[in-house]
Amino acid sequence: MSQKYEPHIIEEKWQRIWEEKNVFVVTEDTSRQKYYLLEMFPYPSGKIHMGHVRNYSIGDIIARFLRMRGFNVLHPMGWDSFGMPAENAAIQHGTHPAKWTRENITYMKTQLKSMGLSYDWTRETATFTPEYYKWNQWFFLKMYEKGLAYKKKSYVNWCPKCSTVLANEQVIDGLCWRCDSLAEKRELEQWFLKITAYAEELLSDLDKLTGWPERVGTMQRNWIGKSIGAEVDFPIDNSQDKIKVFTTRPDTLYGATFMSIAPEHPMAEKLTVKSQESEVSRFMEKIKKQDRRSQAETLLEKEGVWTGSYCINPLTNKKMPVYIANFVLMEYGTGAVMAVPAHDQRDFEFAKKYNLPLQVVIQPQKRGQILNLFPETMTEAYVDDGIMVNSQQFNGMNNRDAMDAIVKELEEKGTGKKSVSYKLKDWGISRQRYWGCPIPLIYCDSCGIVPAPYEKLPVILPEDIKLTGEGGSPLAQSDEFIKTRCPWCGSSSARRETDTMDTFIDSSWYFLRYTSPSEDTSPFDKDKAKYWMPVDQYIGGIEHAVLHLLYSRFFTKVIRDLGLVQIDEPFTNLLTQGMVIKDGAKMSKSKGNVVDPDDLIKKYGADTARVFSLFAAPPEKDLDWSDEGVEGAYRFLNRVWRLVLESGVRSQESGVKEKTTPQSPVPSPQSPLWQEMNRTIKKVTEDIERFHFNTGIGALMEYINFLSRYEDKESKEFRGAVESLIVLLSPFAPHICEELWREIGNKELLANMLWPSYNEDALVKQEVTLVVQINGKVRSRLNIPAGSSQKQAEDTAFNDSKVKEWLQGKGIKKVVYIQDKILNIVAG
């Protein structure tokens, strides 16, 4: 063994041994408690980055720790490998997405292995393979049968750069989540998954996810956006048509004086009278260039145009002009808003701009007195509670009490009803791109839309497609793909759907596939999924709070209702790790502040990279990159190396003199070494359990300081303490520990050893240091028996020469004692 710590030699050696011995390959074992640990799988974009290093190091520590605690740990890895980046890269570099993806997977897999991660690679799964996406198509057809997959014409988010539809969740701050282009609205026929059918369950089950960060739960609650109110019909004047609105404020219905509808509202064109057509057309052209995302709504100048039509307030029977307004969004509610300018600030601003009437229906009340508001003197809307006025039989009621009464009135008149509304919309999954899972549907002139037969799945994505990036589905160019025979009538003129599925379909159930990745008769083996699911600990970025995590919950509930699993939720616990920051910004090629993990591992080794990424910050916080921090982690591992090699625990042959095990360290009751070892075992164990990896490493650093100062490095007791150090450090730095473990004479792999337990008796301190304060200042420190009473502490303190000196000539006024810590004397 080299006297010098040479990580590149020992790390490759142990990675090879672990793989050859299938150390991390697992099967179902009902005699052991299972633990399913999963990090969000990567997109094979080319190379791993420091965010990956941190994320996967966090997961690996937990996996190795729990294996050593006796758990049967499933820790798989795979590739989220469909999507636009591969297609765009293929167009840019003149290659094929499949080739680009396979090459990247090969390289990134090598990188992940170089980190010594304890994955069961026999379960490796890639979503771009037919063996995987066959089951995407299977799930789609099952949903189609149940009415959960459907096609409709609607306004959708469109990325002009990616030339494809975006789901609502993929439009972030009005921009495409992938390329940051401004998203547009286009009316297209698209396939949707009916996630809204599960809206209430998705919302209520968030209360079960006590192991999730509250922040993620809040984001999902806001995204689902449940509102309780009333659905109200406003008849169109001189027409049989009506505008339906949803309002959470039925108490203000008597104050509605005009109607605002979204520009995309399906009745907008019909409501526009001929004399208003040119003005409406100019307005429509103008707002196409506005950022009308919900987040920008408050910043928008409220603008609109009268359609020339009126609707009728169902309670007052008064005519209300119908406006097309830029602040009304079609994706929220019904795309129409009853405007109550006296009690809604947005409507107030709009009414003032277009000289529309205000009607006060709620008057404020202060100390039992009603304060009268007058429309002509109001400078802003009154939005708080109060007493109903100008509301016929509801006058004098508290507005909160009037809500239910007014809804009852609407129901009796047949013009409205109590209703619940959600912001959540159905998931548009059609993509007009090539590199994705084909939608398994066939169009027949005689039979209509026909599902591809299950026995014919998968519908293979052809690889001989020319990619131009010019928009539209590339599959539409392939006659060989499009032309097919109708499974029902046998017509040879049928054609396949050319849209592909949103890549988030792929990641919505991959965690189930890991439980039986070779299963070829169903998406996964039900019994194996029953053993492993749910995922006990999931680790990934907060950016997936309302995308992947919401879709995965939806898929799990659908799969449960298909009878394939018995769980309601896929992930019991969730850890969202922070970002890696350098020079004050997230690492990014565009900012030129990227650290290449390959360079880091080549210079310092994977163990240093792991220890640094885990010691620099708690996992949920951002990690501020520090070259000095990396050097510090490397020096720490070198100290461990030297301590073991230079101590007396090595044999002549391999380093060992007499073997012991960390599970039975040589007892030496109440010796400082014995106590320090047990305290460290307890501290590191509890810190890993709480994911406080940085303080766990800190405790090991203090421990090695202690061991370095220990004089009798030839003793059995010292050897047990060193063994414990190696075991405790091994989840953080597995390669160096495996090497040192073998060096001190152990034949078994350290990765297969059990985690040490600590002795409670050793944690009981026999003596403590009592701080003695006189009038708030420390005047002495005394060693006293642990657990001493106040009288015992006072007797010791008052006999101390220093205390006697400070109290000379003074009377004792008060004594405060905190057991085993402080004796505070007030004297004067």
Side-chain angles (χ1 to χ4, degrees):
M1 181 180 181
S2 171
Q3 293 297 309
K4 183 182 177 183
Y5 173 44
E6 296 176 298
H8 63 284
I9 295 176
I10 63 172
E11 290 182 356
E12 289 180 5
K13 167 187 166 185
W14 288 108
Q15 288 158 17
R16 185 180 65 255
I17 293 173
W18 292 330
E19 185 166 357
E20 289 173 351
K21 293 182 178 296
N22 292 324
V23 173
F24 305 114
V25 174
V26 291
T27 57
E28 299 70 41
D29 181 353
T30 55
S31 68
R32 298 165 64 196
Q33 185 173 348
K34 71 92 181 177
Y35 196 94
Y36 188 174
L37 176 70
L38 187 63
E39 300 112 41
M40 292 180 185
F41 63 169
Y43 191 87
S45 55
K47 301 177 72 173
I48 65 170
H49 51 67
M50 284 308 302
H52 289 131
V53 171
R54 189 184 190 201
N55 186 7
Y56 302 146
S57 295
I58 291 169
D60 199 57
I61 281 186
I62 302 168
R64 286 177 176 272
F65 170 70
L66 291 174
R67 281 189 79 254
M68 300 176 85
R69 299 286 300 269
F71 286 82
N72 191 26
V73 178
L74 173 58
H75 190 205
M77 178 48 69
W79 311 95
D80 187 12
S81 44
F82 267 144
M84 286 183 286
E87 188 169 337
N88 291 339
I91 294 170
Q92 182 180 354
H93 299 296
T95 184
H96 194 280
K99 182 174 184 293
W100 187 85
T101 300
R102 291 189 185 101
E103 289 176 352
N104 287 346
I105 287 176
T106 299
Y107 188 80
M108 291 175 68
K109 185 175 179 180
T110 302
Q111 288 185 296
L112 294 183
K113 287 190 172 183
S114 74
M115 289 178 59
L117 303 169
S118 59
Y119 293 131
D120 178 355
W121 283 106
T122 65
R123 296 173 185 263
E124 182 181 6
T125 297
T127 61
F128 79 105
T129 61
E131 294 78 16
Y132 184 87
Y133 70 70
K134 168 183 178 179
W135 302 109
N136 284 356
Q137 297 171 344
W138 190 89
F139 283 127
F140 180 90
L141 293 180
K142 289 295 181 184
M143 291 190 196
Y144 183 71
E145 289 174 4
K146 290 181 168 293
L148 294 173
Y150 67 96
K151 191 174 191 179
K152 71 173 181 178
K153 193 172 186 178
S154 71
Y155 281 92
V156 295
N157 303 302
W158 178 266
C159 175
K161 185 175 180 180
C162 298
S163 298
T164 193
V165 167
L166 303 170
N168 287 341
E169 292 85 347
Q170 293 165 343
V171 179
I172 300 172
D173 295 336
L175 307 177
C176 170
W177 72 288
R178 180 67 76 179
C179 71
D180 288 343
S181 297
L182 186 64
E184 299 176 352
K185 288 288 184 185
R186 290 195 181 184
E187 190 175 25
L188 295 173
E189 278 207 329
Q190 301 289 294
W191 285 98
F192 289 83
L193 296 186
K194 203 169 185 178
I195 189 173
T196 54
Y198 289 84
E200 186 59 39
E201 189 181 357
L202 287 167
L203 182 66
S204 61
D205 279 1
L206 286 170
D207 293 337
K208 299 178 181 176
L209 300 177
T210 55
W212 284 37
E214 182 56 34
R215 181 184 174 194
V216 176
T218 299
M219 292 171 74
Q220 290 210 0
R221 285 187 183 89
N222 291 338
W223 189 262
I224 295 168
K226 180 180 181 180
S227 298
I228 299 174
E231 203 172 81
V232 187
D233 293 331
F234 287 73
I236 303 298
D237 189 29
N238 296 321
S239 169
Q240 296 299 310
D241 293 331
K242 53 193 175 186
I243 299 175
K244 190 179 292 294
V245 304
F246 173 82
T247 178
T248 59
R249 294 294 305 272
D251 52 323
T252 64
L253 228 166
Y254 284 91
T257 57
F258 64 97
M259 177 70 67
S260 301
I261 64 173
E264 303 86 3
H265 195 284
M267 295 181 67
E269 184 177 349
K270 188 176 182 179
L271 289 171
T272 302
V273 301
K274 192 167 184 60
S275 61
Q276 288 293 101
E277 284 181 350
S278 58
E279 193 171 345
V280 168
S281 179
R282 282 195 297 273
F283 176 75
M284 293 291 205
E285 286 300 314
K286 180 181 178 180
I287 63 169
K288 279 184 179 177
K289 302 171 184 174
Q290 289 183 342
D291 179 4
R292 295 177 56 246
R293 56 194 164 91
S294 59
Q295 294 88 342
E297 180 190 339
T298 55
L299 302 176
L300 272 178
E301 180 185 354
K302 309 300 180 288
E303 294 182 279
V305 61
W306 182 36
T307 60
S309 294
Y310 292 90
C311 63
I312 306 298
N313 186 318
L315 294 185
T316 65
N317 290 320
K318 291 181 178 177
K319 292 169 66 174
M320 298 165 49
V322 180
Y323 278 75
I324 299 172
N326 65 342
F327 58 84
V328 183
L329 303 176
M330 194 62 216
E331 58 264 37
Y332 293 115
T334 62
V337 176
M338 68 171 202
V340 188
H343 301 290
D344 182 281
Q345 185 61 28
R346 182 185 54 185
D347 297 341
F348 180 88
E349 294 173 17
F350 193 88
K352 287 294 183 182
K353 184 181 180 74
Y354 294 100
N355 197 28
L356 294 165
L358 277 68
Q359 173 75 316
V360 175
V361 294
I362 299 173
Q363 295 285 16
Q365 189 178 33
K366 190 173 183 180
R367 297 192 184 95
Q369 297 294 316
I370 296 176
L371 307 177
N372 289 323
L373 293 173
F374 300 99
E376 57 272 18
T377 58
M378 290 177 73
T379 57
E380 61 181 1
Y382 177 70
V383 299
D384 294 327
D385 294 335
I387 301 301
M388 300 288 291
V389 295
N390 299 319
S391 302
Q392 299 177 6
Q393 69 269 35
F394 305 105
N395 288 343
M397 293 180 69
N398 178 285
N399 70 299
R400 291 287 161 186
D401 296 335
M403 286 184 175
D404 285 342
I406 290 176
V407 171
K408 186 177 179 183
E409 172 78 4
L410 290 168
E411 290 174 341
E412 289 175 356
K413 290 169 69 90
T415 56
K417 61 181 181 181
K418 191 171 185 178
S419 180
V420 175
S421 181
Y422 300 90
K423 287 183 180 178
L424 182 69
K425 300 299 179 186
D426 284 340
W427 178 9
I429 62 154
S430 289
R431 297 293 180 269
Q432 293 69 44
R433 299 302 295 255
Y434 164 69
W435 195 233
C437 173
I439 295 175
L441 290 171
I442 294 167
Y443 299 94
C444 174
D445 292 338
S446 301
C447 305
I449 298 175
V450 180
Y454 284 106
E455 63 273 18
K456 297 290 185 181
L457 298 182
V459 176
I460 294 291
L461 182 71
E463 294 202 6
D464 57 341
I465 295 291
K466 184 178 181 182
L467 302 176
T468 64
E470 293 177 353
S473 173
L475 291 177
Q477 305 163 15
S478 172
D479 285 344
E480 187 176 350
F481 175 80
I482 294 175
K483 292 180 179 178
T484 188
R485 190 174 293 277
C486 174
W488 286 2
C489 71
S491 168
S492 60
S493 61
R495 64 194 188 284
R496 293 190 185 280
E497 169 64 63
T498 57
D499 286 351
T500 52
M501 296 184 196
D502 181 7
T503 187
F504 277 96
I505 296 280
D506 306 328
S507 57
S508 293
W509 69 279
Y510 77 107
F511 40 88
L512 285 159
R513 185 67 179 171
Y514 281 142
T515 63
S516 48
S518 300
E519 175 62 40
D520 59 4
T521 60
S522 62
F524 51 86
D525 184 294
K526 288 172 60 176
D527 292 335
K528 292 179 179 177
K530 184 178 181 181
Y531 175 80
W532 289 113
M533 290 296 292
V535 174
D536 295 281
Q537 181 66 57
Y538 199 31
I539 303 171
I542 188 72
E543 66 272 19
H544 297 294
V546 291
L547 287 163
H548 161 61
L549 290 172
L550 186 63
Y551 295 151
S552 296
R553 296 183 60 221
F554 162 57
F555 252 72
T556 299
K557 294 175 188 302
V558 172
I559 293 171
R560 175 204 61 195
D561 291 345
L562 291 173
L564 300 180
V565 296
Q566 297 173 328
I567 57 171
D568 296 322
E569 293 288 338
F571 314 120
T572 303
N573 297 291
L574 173 68
L575 172 66
T576 53
Q577 88 279 0
M579 295 186 295
V580 180
I581 304 293
K582 187 171 187 288
D583 304 328
K586 180 183 177 183
M587 282 191 181
S588 164
K589 287 181 181 177
S590 62
K591 294 183 174 64
N593 62 349
V594 170
V595 175
D596 188 338
D598 282 352
D599 295 339
L600 181 66
I601 292 173
K602 184 177 180 181
K603 183 175 182 180
Y604 295 101
D607 283 342
T608 292
R610 294 166 61 117
V611 169
F612 164 73
S613 66
L614 297 163
F615 180 61
E620 69 279 9
K621 302 292 185 185
D622 289 346
L623 185 159
D624 201 355
W625 181 267
S626 162
D627 292 337
E628 293 77 15
V630 175
E631 289 283 353
Y634 186 62
R635 286 196 301 273
F636 166 61
L637 295 180
N638 269 282
R639 285 194 69 195
V640 175
W641 183 266
R642 290 196 302 272
L643 175 77
V644 176
L645 265 62
E646 294 171 3
S647 69
V649 300
R650 299 176 66 204
S651 68
Q652 294 297 320
E653 179 183 353
S654 61
V656 70
K657 286 189 171 179
E658 185 176 345
K659 181 181 178 303
T660 59
T661 70
Q663 286 71 44
S664 57
V666 179
S668 179
Q670 307 313 327
S671 77
L673 181 60
W674 174 248
Q675 291 182 339
E676 189 66 21
M677 180 182 71
N678 280 279
R679 277 197 292 270
T680 304
I681 293 173
K682 182 176 189 293
K683 171 70 174 167
V684 175
T685 301
E686 293 177 349
D687 281 351
I688 294 178
E689 288 174 340
R690 297 181 301 164
F691 300 166
H692 291 188
F693 307 126
N694 55 333
T695 55
I697 294 173
L700 288 168
M701 290 176 172
E702 292 178 7
Y703 186 45
I704 198 170
N705 288 339
F706 180 89
L707 294 178
S708 298
R709 293 192 300 267
Y710 196 76
E711 293 182 357
D712 187 4
K713 294 185 172 60
E714 298 287 334
S715 66
K716 291 181 179 179
E717 190 177 27
F718 185 77
R719 175 188 168 78
V722 168
E723 283 199 338
S724 293
L725 167 68
I726 294 171
V727 177
L728 294 174
L729 181 61
S730 65
F732 304 95
H735 306 89
I736 185 174
C737 292
E738 195 75 74
E739 181 72 11
L740 292 173
W741 182 254
R742 181 61 58 90
E743 181 62 19
I744 62 175
N746 295 292
K747 302 301 182 187
E748 306 90 344
L749 286 173
L750 174 57
N752 289 333
M753 295 299 294
L754 290 177
W755 191 255
S757 57
Y758 54 87
N759 188 313
E760 291 283 357
D761 293 339
L763 303 178
V764 178
K765 292 184 176 181
Q766 300 300 304
E767 282 192 342
V768 295
T769 300
L770 179 71
V771 176
V772 182
Q773 291 185 337
I774 299 177
N775 293 335
K777 294 186 177 179
V778 177
R779 296 307 185 191
S780 186
R781 286 184 171 84
L782 305 172
N783 289 331
I784 64 172
S788 293
S789 66
Q790 180 166 341
K791 184 176 185 309
Q792 291 171 322
E794 288 181 5
D795 289 346
T796 304
F798 291 143
N799 283 315
D800 178 64
S801 59
K802 291 181 183 177
V803 175
K804 282 182 178 178
E805 183 178 344
W806 283 104
L807 290 178
Q808 192 170 22
K810 299 177 182 175
I812 306 300
K813 295 182 177 178
K814 185 177 180 182
V815 177
V816 177
Y817 176 56
I818 301 175
Q819 193 175 52
D820 293 347
K821 293 182 178 178
I822 296 175
L823 186 74
N824 192 6
I825 303 169
V826 180

